[in-house]
Amino acid sequence: MNTFSLYVTACLLFMGFGAHAQDTYYCLPCNNPCDDIAFNAPGKCTHCNMELVKQTKEEHERLAKKDRLKVAFYLQNGVEVLDFAGPLEVFTYAGFEVFIVSKDKNQLFAQGVLRITPDYDITNAPAADIIAFFGGNAGKAANDPDVISWLKKQTNVQHYFSVCTGAFILGKAGLLDGLTVTTFHESIEGLQAAVPQAKVLSNVRYVDNGRVITTAGISAGIDGALHLVAKLRGDEMAKKVAAYMEYDKWVPDQGMVAKQQ
């Protein structure tokens, strides 16, 4: 073999085209730049600290596309920042695709300080696997016939998720009838009056009815979101997300599971 042939062979081996192509490892999709980084040894991702899994590039891309659940966050003007920001962190680090929907595409003000531009309005929002609602002026959406009509028309939704008084929006659409649910501690009686067909609990972080998950106020949304991640992606994924967020207050199964699904 001449010198040029040896050089070409060495290059091909280095690029992985030889008989002993180097194994590749990827972290689970987490919506971060490390999603596209291939590692050459097992261990943990140096960016997101997720466990690395041995995969070919094709397997990794196929898995990421298949498992990328779409989550629609409906936000209204005056929405509570932590109500949605906490679950947003959880779902994105778990590899879900989150997008923002509102009544229209006008800029929103969360608690009067944070400016948010929705990705979609209710006329053009894509289908979602999970639809989430949040507190902070939630009555604006709950009492808007157009928003409730849009919600009722959504099909093939795997899970409905609410934080704080976002439960009132689900209740107005009839999605809480006959269920055990919860909401912000100061709104327990109000939700019970608004949805008399539901059983509204206090002193619980979240209630899982299988398809519908409601949580208590503000920080409880993080617990509910981690519970949903554990339900859909396994306990280890949820624990890794909590650890990455340094959320050491999470206790698995701290909420109530009213119905398995």
Side-chain angles (χ1 to χ4, degrees):
M1 185 179 292
N2 59 35
T3 303
F4 178 74
S5 297
L6 287 170
Y7 173 76
V8 171
T9 300
C11 288
L12 289 174
L13 286 170
F14 178 76
M15 295 171 65
F17 292 107
H20 302 288
Q22 194 173 55
D23 291 335
T24 52
Y25 298 81
Y26 293 87
C27 62
L28 294 170
C30 61
N31 269 1
N32 284 293
C34 56
D35 283 352
D36 299 320
I37 298 176
F39 296 84
N40 59 15
K44 292 188 176 181
C45 174
T46 54
H47 179 81
C48 70
N49 205 40
M50 293 287 185
E51 201 72 33
L52 298 175
V53 180
K54 182 179 177 181
Q55 295 173 325
T56 65
K57 182 178 180 180
E58 291 73 20
E59 288 173 335
H60 178 70
E61 291 176 347
R62 185 167 62 250
L63 180 65
K65 184 177 181 180
K66 178 182 177 182
D67 283 0
R68 203 80 181 277
L69 290 175
K70 297 183 182 297
V71 188
F73 273 32
Y74 183 92
L75 304 185
Q76 63 280 347
N77 207 40
V79 65
E80 171 80 27
V81 173
L82 190 55
D83 270 21
F84 74 87
L88 179 69
E89 289 271 348
V90 172
F91 291 138
T92 53
Y93 280 128
F96 298 1
E97 180 182 342
V98 179
F99 56 88
I100 307 302
V101 183
S102 194
K103 172 70 180 291
D104 51 47
K105 289 196 70 176
N106 293 334
Q107 195 171 69
L108 306 172
F109 289 88
Q111 292 180 255
V113 294
L114 178 65
R115 298 172 186 268
I116 304 166
T117 301
D119 299 305
Y120 304 97
D121 60 38
I122 57 176
T123 68
N124 64 7
D129 301 297
I130 301 167
I131 300 181
F133 296 90
F134 307 91
N137 200 25
K140 181 178 177 62
N143 295 311
D144 189 320
D146 292 335
V147 174
I148 300 305
S149 176
W150 166 77
L151 176 55
K152 288 181 175 180
K153 290 177 182 177
Q154 301 310 298
T155 58
N156 299 319
V157 177
Q158 293 183 26
H159 295 283
Y160 297 95
F161 180 84
S162 71
V163 178
C164 196
T165 53
F168 282 78
I169 305 171
L170 294 179
K172 197 64 175 281
L175 292 167
L176 302 185
D177 291 352
L179 302 183
T180 301
V181 300
T182 193
T183 186
F184 181 52
H185 66 275
E186 292 185 358
S187 300
I188 298 292
E189 293 182 2
L191 183 61
Q192 188 65 80
V195 191
Q197 301 91 339
K199 180 180 180 181
V200 185
L201 299 182
S202 59
N203 300 316
V204 63
R205 298 291 281 175
Y206 62 82
V207 179
D208 179 358
N209 284 276
R211 196 179 181 201
V212 178
I213 296 173
T214 56
T215 84
I218 312 178
S219 64
I222 300 175
D223 298 73
L226 286 167
H227 170 73
L228 185 52
V229 168
K231 183 173 180 172
L232 297 174
R233 292 290 178 267
D235 291 344
E236 285 306 308
M237 169 64 86
K239 289 176 183 177
K240 289 173 182 176
V241 171
Y244 184 75
M245 293 172 60
E246 297 191 25
Y247 185 62
D248 57 1
K249 304 299 182 184
W250 182 52
V251 179
D253 303 321
Q254 189 177 33
M256 174 185 178
V257 178
K259 180 180 178 183
Q260 297 284 353
Q261 182 182 14

